[in-house]
Amino acid sequence: MESQIHKIHHQLMNQEITCKQLIQEKLDVLKLNTHNTVNSLLDSMALELASKVDEKINNGEKIGLLEGIPFGIKDVYMVQGTYTTASSYLLKNYKSPYTATAIQKLLDAGAIPLAKENCDSFGHGSSSENTIFGAVKNAHNPELVGGGSSGGSAVNVAKGHTVFSIGGDTGGSIRQPAGYNHVFGFKPTYGRISRFGLMAYASSTDCVGPIAKSIEDIRIVLNIMSGKDVKDQTTYSSETILQENILNADDIKTIGYFKNFIESDAIVPEIKSAFLASIEKIKAKGIVVKALDFFEADTLVSTYYTLAMAETASNLSRLDGTNYGNRIEGDTLKDTYAITRSENLSEETKRRIVGGNQVLSQGFSDEIYLKGLNLRDQISENFEKDFQDVEIIVSPVTPGLPPKIGDSLKDPLAMYLSDAYTVGFSLGQLPTLTIPQGTATGLQITAAKNNDELVLKFANFLKDTI
Ligand code: GLN
C-alpha cells in the first residue's frame, strides 16, 4: 500500500479536503466503536487542532508532512489533560499531568491525536481481552481477537480509523496485533525512542513504536519520535532514516531463520508452509538463507515471563491508591493497599504481580530471577553471534492464527506460549518489524541492534519478492 501520510498531505495542500472534514470523518467512525478500539475520544482537542491547520492552508502557508495527520494512541501514554487508564479500573478516572516525549514530538510536528486506544491492561496480554472496555475485535473477523496488547491500535489502523497509531511493545505487543490485523508494526531498537510518559510494564524491554499501513509511514513516524531524551537515560541519538537509503537492498546477501521455530509442534501447518514458501522466494532472488539454531520456545517464553513479571511487580507497586487511581479505604493502611489493589486490578495483572514478587523474593531470587538474567545474556550473545553470519533474521510472527474471543482467557499458559516468536527479539532489544505478508499472521524481520534502517530496507525488498 502507498503511504497514507503522503497521500493525505497532498490532499490537504491541494485543498481537495479540509483538515476539519478529515478529522470529523475519522471521529465519527471511532465514536461508533464497533470493534471496542476506543477508550476515550480526544474530539475537542482534535477539532481545534484541525481548524488551525485549515487556517494555515487558507492563508497560503506551508504545512509540514505530519501536520493534520490523524493518529491514535494506545491508552498507556500520558497526554496532558486526557484520561490515561491503561484499560484498568484503578486508573479509570486518572488524567495525565504531562505528555509523553514520543507523543509530544508528534504533536510538535502537527499530527492530530484522535483517541486513546483499547489494549490489554498495563500491556498484560496477547489478545486485548484483559481490559475493562470490552474485548477488541479483529479488523477482519469480529469473532476473533484483535491481538495484544496494542490491539485497539492495530485494529484502528487496519480499518482506516487512524492513519497510524502508537503502540507499545514489551514482548510483542506491536508486532503480534499488527500480524493479526494485516498491517505493519515496528518495535525499534530499545532506547531509540524515549519511554518517558509510557506507563512502565517491564522497563528493560518496553519500546515505543508505530503501527501503519506502509513502510514509508512507519519510517516517517519512527524518525519523528526517535532521539535522545534527558528524561530517559536509556535513549541514544540516532540518524534519520532517509527514504533513498532503504529503497535498494542489493547489499543484503545473507539472511537466516530459526530452524526450531519452524520444526516446533506448536506451529500450525498453514503458517509453516507459507513461511517455507516465502523462504524459497527469497532464495530465488539470489539471497543465501541459513537455518540457524536457537533456544527452544519454552526457554524463551519462561525467561521473558520471569523477567517481565518481576519488573511489572516492581513497577506497579506504586499503584496502591496513595498517589494515583481509585483508592478504596480499609480499616488500616495495609488493608487500604490490599483492597485497592485487589478490587481494581485484573486477574491477569494480579497473576503477574504475585508471580513477579515470588520471583524476586528472598530464597527464590537467586534461583529464578538471576537465572532469568543469565539466560537473557545467553540469548543476547546468541544473537550477536548470528548477526556475524547473517544480516537479517526472518521468522513468523506467531505460531498460530488469531484465537476466538474468549479462548485465551480460559488458558493463560497457552496465551503465554503464543508469544514464542516475539519475546526473544525483545530480550535481545533488537529492531524488529511485522509485515503483512508471508504468512496469515505476517512475517517478522529483525536485524542487529541499531540496524533499524536495514530492517526497513529488507521490508521494502520483500514487498516485491513474496
Ligand atoms: N503478550 C506479552 C505479555 O503479555 C507481550 C505484551 C507486551 O508486549 N506488552 O507480556
Side-chain angles (χ1 to χ4, degrees):
M1 161 135 353
E2 60 177 325
S3 159
Q4 300 297 294
I5 294 176
H6 283 292
K7 189 174 121 197
I8 295 173
H9 178 67
H10 286 123
Q11 288 173 333
L12 288 171
M13 291 277 286
N14 299 336
Q15 300 194 304
E16 289 163 33
I17 49 167
T18 70
C19 191
K20 211 153 176 195
Q21 277 166 353
L22 169 74
I23 298 297
Q24 190 63 60
E25 234 169 69
K26 302 276 184 209
L27 286 171
D28 288 346
V29 280
L30 284 167
K31 201 167 182 183
L32 294 176
N33 201 17
T34 53
H35 285 61
N36 289 337
T37 56
V38 178
N39 290 358
S40 58
L41 270 187
L42 309 178
D43 39 1
S44 46
M45 183 198 299
L47 288 167
E48 205 175 296
L49 290 170
S51 301
K52 289 194 184 140
V53 175
D54 284 333
E55 221 175 278
K56 268 178 104 170
I57 296 170
N58 289 336
N59 289 339
E61 286 176 52
K62 271 211 148 159
I63 56 164
L65 186 56
L66 274 182
E67 245 175 299
I69 304 292
F71 74 106
I73 305 171
K74 183 179 183 180
D75 202 7
V76 287
Y77 287 96
M78 303 291 164
V79 182
Q80 194 173 35
T82 69
Y83 288 107
T84 304
T85 71
S87 295
S88 70
Y89 282 117
L90 189 75
L91 299 177
K92 195 172 174 206
N93 295 311
Y94 176 73
K95 281 192 173 172
S96 309
Y98 62 94
T99 300
T101 300
I103 305 298
Q104 189 60 52
K105 287 184 169 195
L106 291 167
L107 298 177
D108 291 346
I112 298 185
L114 298 178
K116 300 303 266 308
E117 298 170 316
N118 200 357
C119 56
D120 285 302
S121 198
F122 298 103
H124 296 158
S126 313
S127 64
S128 293
E129 295 172 284
N130 173 28
T131 158
I132 64 164
F133 294 100
V136 175
K137 298 176 188 171
N138 191 283
H140 303 285
N141 177 351
E143 288 183 9
L144 306 180
V145 301
S149 63
S150 314
S153 308
V155 173
N156 278 339
V157 170
K159 294 202 75 68
H161 297 169
T162 59
V163 172
F164 65 90
S165 285
I166 304 306
D169 191 311
T170 304
S173 279
I174 287 176
R175 290 162 284 155
Q176 185 255 42
Y180 279 3
N181 294 288
H182 313 162
V183 290
F184 293 87
F186 188 50
K187 181 198 96 61
T189 301
Y190 178 81
R192 188 180 181 98
I193 301 177
S194 169
R195 287 174 291 119
F196 179 73
L198 161 65
M199 273 187 208
Y201 164 13
S203 311
S204 71
T205 60
D206 284 347
C207 287
V208 178
I211 300 174
K213 277 192 172 164
S214 67
I215 299 163
E216 174 61 359
D217 289 350
I218 294 279
R219 184 191 72 85
I220 294 166
V221 178
L222 173 72
N223 279 337
I224 294 285
M225 293 194 296
S226 298
K228 192 163 177 56
D229 179 12
V230 288
K231 294 175 186 142
D232 175 356
Q233 294 302 312
T234 62
T235 53
Y236 61 93
S237 57
S238 50
E239 293 204 355
T240 300
I241 298 175
L242 300 174
Q243 190 182 24
E244 63 256 34
N245 288 354
I246 58 168
L247 293 180
N248 185 334
D250 283 352
D251 53 335
I252 301 177
K253 308 271 186 234
T254 316
I255 70 159
Y257 70 91
F258 294 132
K259 217 168 29 203
N260 60 322
F261 278 11
I262 307 309
E263 285 163 3
S264 123
D265 291 340
I267 192 167
V268 298
E270 179 185 341
I271 292 192
K272 179 174 175 167
S273 58
F275 179 80
L276 291 172
S278 300
I279 291 291
E280 289 311 314
K281 288 183 192 159
I282 295 170
K283 280 185 188 163
K285 290 269 179 164
I287 291 186
V288 176
V289 182
K290 293 189 176 172
L292 306 167
D293 292 319
F294 197 45
F295 289 83
E296 287 307 320
D298 291 4
T299 311
L300 296 172
V301 169
S302 33
T303 304
Y304 167 77
Y305 275 98
T306 300
L307 299 178
M309 286 188 187
E311 291 187 35
T312 209
S314 167
N315 277 325
L316 267 52
S317 64
R318 75 192 71 164
L319 298 176
D320 58 11
T322 307
N323 293 314
Y324 319 92
N326 178 29
R327 177 186 176 100
I328 305 172
E329 292 293 340
D331 290 340
T332 64
L333 185 61
K334 225 169 157 183
D335 282 353
T336 300
Y337 292 159
I339 301 167
T340 297
R341 285 162 74 80
S342 305
E343 296 293 318
N344 282 311
L345 295 173
S346 70
E347 288 307 307
E348 184 57 40
T349 293
K350 283 186 275 191
R351 187 165 21 249
R352 292 176 187 217
I353 291 174
V354 170
N357 283 329
Q358 170 86 359
V359 164
L360 292 173
S361 59
Q362 208 175 14
F364 290 95
S365 65
D366 283 5
E367 213 173 309
I368 315 175
Y369 183 64
L370 294 186
K371 192 169 170 193
L373 289 180
N374 183 285
L375 272 161
R376 175 170 52 196
D377 289 345
Q378 290 181 41
I379 291 165
S380 296
E381 278 163 26
N382 199 308
F383 281 130
E384 272 167 37
K385 206 174 76 256
D386 285 342
F387 283 118
Q388 285 169 6
D389 256 12
V390 302
E391 289 140 275
I392 291 283
I393 292 172
V394 289
S395 75
V397 180
T398 59
L401 302 169
K404 278 209 162 126
I405 288 177
D407 285 358
S408 303
L409 295 178
K410 289 182 217 143
D411 191 351
L413 195 59
M415 183 182 79
Y416 300 161
L417 285 168
S418 75
D419 295 332
Y421 299 163
T422 50
V423 294
F425 301 124
S426 296
L427 291 169
Q429 305 189 326
L430 305 177
T432 169
L433 170 79
T434 287
I435 62 168
Q437 283 175 283
T439 81
T441 60
L443 268 191
Q444 213 179 168
I445 304 172
T446 308
K449 261 190 197 173
N450 303 335
N451 276 348
D452 303 52
E453 181 174 291
L454 199 65
V455 171
L456 299 187
K457 190 191 275 193
F458 196 65
N460 264 329
F461 164 77
L462 288 188
K463 218 163 46 175
D464 315 311
T465 302
I466 54 173

